Amino acid sequence: MHPILLPTPEVADALAANRPVVALESTVISHGMPYPRNLETARALEAEVRAAGAIPATIAVMDGRIRIGLDDEALERLATGGHAVRKLSRRDLPVAIATRALGATTVAATMIGARLAGIPVFATGGIGGVHRGAETSFDISADLDELARTSVCVVCAGAKSILDLPKTLEVLETRGVPVLGFGTDEFPAFYSRRSGLPVDHRCDNVTEVADILRAKWQLGLDGGVLLANPIPPVDALDADAMEAAVTEALADAESKEIKGKDITPHLLAALERITGGRSLTANIALIRNNARVAAGVAAALAAG
Ligand code: PSU
Ligand code: MN
């Protein structure tokens, strides 16, 4: 194991025995949801992964190490830390490690930790992508570059319409990232199941996904695969209503001149306010669903 990594004994044992492990991110806990729902969700995700037969490994930075798997005390530190917890993407990891900061990992940074630890499957809610107006702001999430270079399968529910979905898919195509739909031909739009945009390929079971991952990596095509898993129908929100909420949230962020890494957390909090909490409930349901599917993919990979 890499000296900067600190896995829990349970995760280290599972990896050594080639048992299925699922990486989970921590920015969604610290910056994506309010306390105490964030802590409840972090625990629920770990329980979903276990119920589906895999070992959860939530990733974060603490005391100069990348922790691979967190105990309950560590989850609580992240969930209650508020602004003391940094949001860490690729560029932030060196400073956070060297200064022994407390930090939550984004999709990009979680992929880096998972890859170093040898965990090929990771579940999150939504990835970062190309922001609306990126043609002038240049705001494109580092998550996309990470998907291009780091060999981890990221299970998500698509991307939020706070992003420009067609441009996000264009960048993923350019950077060579396969986008697979799990039981769907369409790229899901996070709170709703449909975006009108096609995925590259539809997979109807986890074995097909594992076969594609193996083929990619056996070819020496380093980099990630995005598995887009739509929110369950009962939990989905009305797409038109969410579009209106997103427009309002974007206007709010613009009037307050929010920029850079603060934009996504700010928009998520605004959406929760505008929808009276319904966006949060949907968010929790879709991440749990992703954790379950990721455990299945991890098991299929470990079996092959
Ligand atoms: N999208 C969500 N919820 C989230 C995030 C994105 O629906 O919590 C978080 C993830 O950690 C993602 C990060 O990696 O925001 C992207 O931030 P940025 O756009 O600053 O790269
Ligand atoms: Mn950004």
Side-chain angles (χ1 to χ4, degrees):
M1 195 54 72
H2 191 286
I4 291 181
L5 300 184
L6 182 60
T8 58
E10 183 190 34
V11 170
D13 286 351
L15 289 171
N18 191 35
R19 287 197 299 272
V21 177
V22 171
L24 298 165
E25 67 151 306
S26 45
T27 294
V28 67
I29 304 171
S30 61
H31 293 70
M33 293 180 185
Y35 181 81
R37 299 291 293 281
N38 59 351
L39 182 57
E40 291 161 18
T41 304
R43 290 176 177 146
L45 293 179
E46 298 210 341
E48 291 284 2
V49 170
R50 286 183 199 284
I55 301 295
T58 306
I59 294 182
V61 171
M62 291 181 186
D63 311 313
R65 310 284 287 277
I66 303 181
R67 303 263 303 251
I68 310 292
L70 301 178
D71 56 23
D72 205 60
E73 188 197 329
L75 284 182
E76 240 180 281
R77 271 176 80 188
L78 285 168
T80 58
H83 291 301
V85 184
R86 297 202 202 157
K87 173 181 165 186
L88 308 178
S89 189
R90 165 176 278 267
R91 73 157 179 192
D92 310 300
L93 282 176
V95 173
I97 298 287
T99 62
R100 308 174 72 81
L102 172 63
T105 49
T106 62
V107 168
T110 305
M111 288 178 76
I112 293 168
R115 177 77 187 123
L116 286 171
I119 304 171
V121 184
F122 159 32
T124 184
I127 56 162
V130 181
H131 280 259
R132 296 190 191 185
E135 58 274 26
T136 52
S137 69
F138 282 41
D139 190 349
I140 300 176
S141 174
D143 291 352
L144 299 184
D145 268 10
E146 207 60 53
L147 280 160
R149 69 197 290 178
T150 300
S151 300
V152 171
C153 174
V154 178
V155 184
C156 72
K160 282 205 179 65
S161 57
I162 57 175
L163 302 174
D164 186 320
L165 299 187
K167 288 194 182 79
T168 298
L169 290 173
E170 288 292 349
V171 171
L172 289 168
E173 179 183 350
T174 304
R175 305 303 309 271
V177 180
V179 178
L180 310 177
F182 195 67
T184 182
D185 299 300
E186 263 184 59
F187 191 63
F190 202 82
Y191 300 116
S192 47
R193 292 173 58 84
R194 309 186 55 177
S195 67
L197 302 164
V199 292
D200 305 333
H201 182 72
R202 171 186 181 133
C203 291
D204 284 303
N205 58 64
V206 292
T207 312
E208 286 172 41
V209 178
D211 288 344
I212 292 167
L213 294 175
R214 272 191 223 102
K216 183 173 199 290
W217 296 330
Q218 278 168 7
L219 283 165
L221 300 177
D222 289 342
V225 169
L226 195 62
L227 180 61
N229 180 36
I231 185 172
V234 289
D235 300 303
L237 301 180
D238 179 69
D240 292 336
M242 284 315 290
E243 184 58 33
V246 163
T247 305
E248 192 179 332
L250 286 167
D252 177 73
E254 196 169 341
S255 73
K256 294 179 178 143
E257 294 185 34
I258 310 287
K259 295 212 165 28
K261 70 203 293 191
D262 297 332
I263 287 193
T264 300
H266 190 274
L267 291 173
L268 294 178
L271 279 178
E272 193 198 324
R273 241 181 6 256
I274 295 164
T275 62
R278 286 190 312 139
S279 67
L280 178 58
T281 307
N283 201 346
I284 293 168
L286 66 85
I287 304 190
R288 293 180 67 148
N289 188 40
N290 294 343
R292 271 192 297 274
V293 168
V297 174
L301 262 185

